[in-house]
Amino acid sequence: MASKLLRAVILGPPGSGKGTVCQRIAQNFGLQHLSSGHFLRENIKANTEVGEMAKQYIERSLLVPDHVITCLMMSELENRRGQHWLLDGFPRTLGQAEALDKICEVDLVISLNIPFETLKDRLSRRWIHPPSGRVYNLDFNPPHVHGIDDVTGEPLVQQEDDKPEAVAARLRQYKDVAKPVIELYKSRGVLHQFSGTETNKIWPYVYTLFSNKITPIQSKEAY
């Protein structure tokens, strides 16, 4: 197995199970799971320059612009030159993908294709703990106490954009923005698309794909 560092990206709309798949890849293959959402929250909490810029957009319910996210992610990647990693939430746009090209070559891109009805159902069952970004789903990972975060005991909220009427708009927006990114990686022969309604059914295929690129650190497909 080549000792070259693996550079992977996961793409998928809100509610596609990206977080779960990333967790499993990290556990099974030892890749660093680099989530743009996590880094944004960390930087906002630490009042960094990038965090302050991002906060102004988030407070007005606007998308954080490309240059802010790119700046944030580039500095995080700079600190991880010697690690295998999996990017989640970046690149979201063609501009971000082009910026990523300047510092490394992506080896593997996973795109999760989940039917709209499934996404709508999942998101309507999704509750979050905003300060930490912890996500609960009432069907497959409910909190111990309904409406309460397991770790802090603080209340959970349902985001406005997880409500059914907003999901259709979010999905349309994701498709419009992601399409050129997907086409770019497809044209390079590094894109692998997985379709289905259940993460547990998609996972074995993702596991096999990664096993061909990097030696698993766990001997079985850990869930």
Side-chain angles (χ1 to χ4, degrees):
M1 195 77 62
S3 59
K4 178 183 180 294
L5 289 170
L6 186 66
R7 308 297 191 210
V9 169
I10 186 163
L11 304 171
S16 60
K18 266 198 331 234
T20 306
V21 172
C22 287
Q23 240 172 347
R24 291 182 185 179
I25 292 169
Q27 278 170 359
N28 282 273
F29 299 98
L31 271 73
Q32 292 285 319
H33 172 202
L34 309 182
S35 155
S36 58
H38 170 75
F39 292 135
L40 267 178
R41 282 189 295 277
E42 292 286 296
N43 276 266
I44 288 169
K45 216 186 292 178
N47 295 318
T48 64
E49 194 181 340
V50 174
E52 287 297 319
M53 285 161 73
K55 196 175 169 184
Q56 292 171 14
Y57 292 93
I58 292 167
E59 283 175 344
R60 303 206 301 268
S61 299
L62 298 170
L63 278 179
V64 180
D66 265 17
H67 70 274
V68 177
I69 295 281
T70 301
C71 172
L72 170 74
M73 294 308 288
M74 290 299 137
S75 68
E76 293 294 344
L77 293 174
E78 197 60 44
N79 298 335
R80 292 171 172 78
R81 281 182 174 271
Q83 299 171 348
H84 297 288
W85 47 244
L86 170 66
L87 282 175
D88 168 14
F90 180 90
R92 275 196 181 164
T93 65
L94 197 52
Q96 291 175 6
E98 286 164 351
L100 183 59
D101 276 349
K102 293 192 175 85
I103 64 158
C104 72
E105 193 178 320
V106 172
D107 305 300
L108 190 60
V109 179
I110 299 168
S111 176
L112 301 176
N113 297 330
I114 313 295
F116 174 65
E117 282 305 314
T118 305
L119 293 175
K120 200 169 71 174
D121 290 348
R122 279 186 192 173
L123 290 171
S124 66
R125 310 281 291 157
R126 184 161 93 157
W127 290 75
I128 68 158
H129 177 245
S132 67
R134 269 186 292 280
V135 177
Y136 295 88
N137 183 287
L138 300 184
D139 294 324
F140 50 85
N141 66 326
H144 297 317
V145 179
H146 184 72
I148 300 294
D149 178 48
D150 290 349
V151 180
T152 62
E154 292 169 351
L156 300 175
V157 299
Q158 186 172 40
Q159 291 177 298
E160 283 299 319
D161 55 6
D162 282 346
K163 292 176 180 171
E165 56 280 12
V167 172
R170 278 177 86 189
L171 192 58
R172 266 197 308 275
Q173 184 189 35
Y174 168 79
K175 283 185 166 169
D176 291 347
V177 175
K179 198 176 177 205
V181 179
I182 288 169
E183 290 302 323
L184 173 75
Y185 290 129
K186 195 175 180 178
S187 71
R188 290 185 186 166
V190 295
L191 181 76
H192 301 265
Q193 304 203 54
F194 297 94
S195 302
T197 58
E198 290 176 51
T199 303
N200 284 346
K201 289 187 176 166
I202 292 172
W203 170 243
Y205 298 101
V206 175
Y207 182 88
T208 302
L209 172 68
F210 273 84
S211 300
N212 292 331
K213 300 278 184 185
I214 186 171
T215 310
I217 55 171
Q218 298 197 7
S219 56
K220 61 186 187 352
E221 300 168 26
Y223 280 8

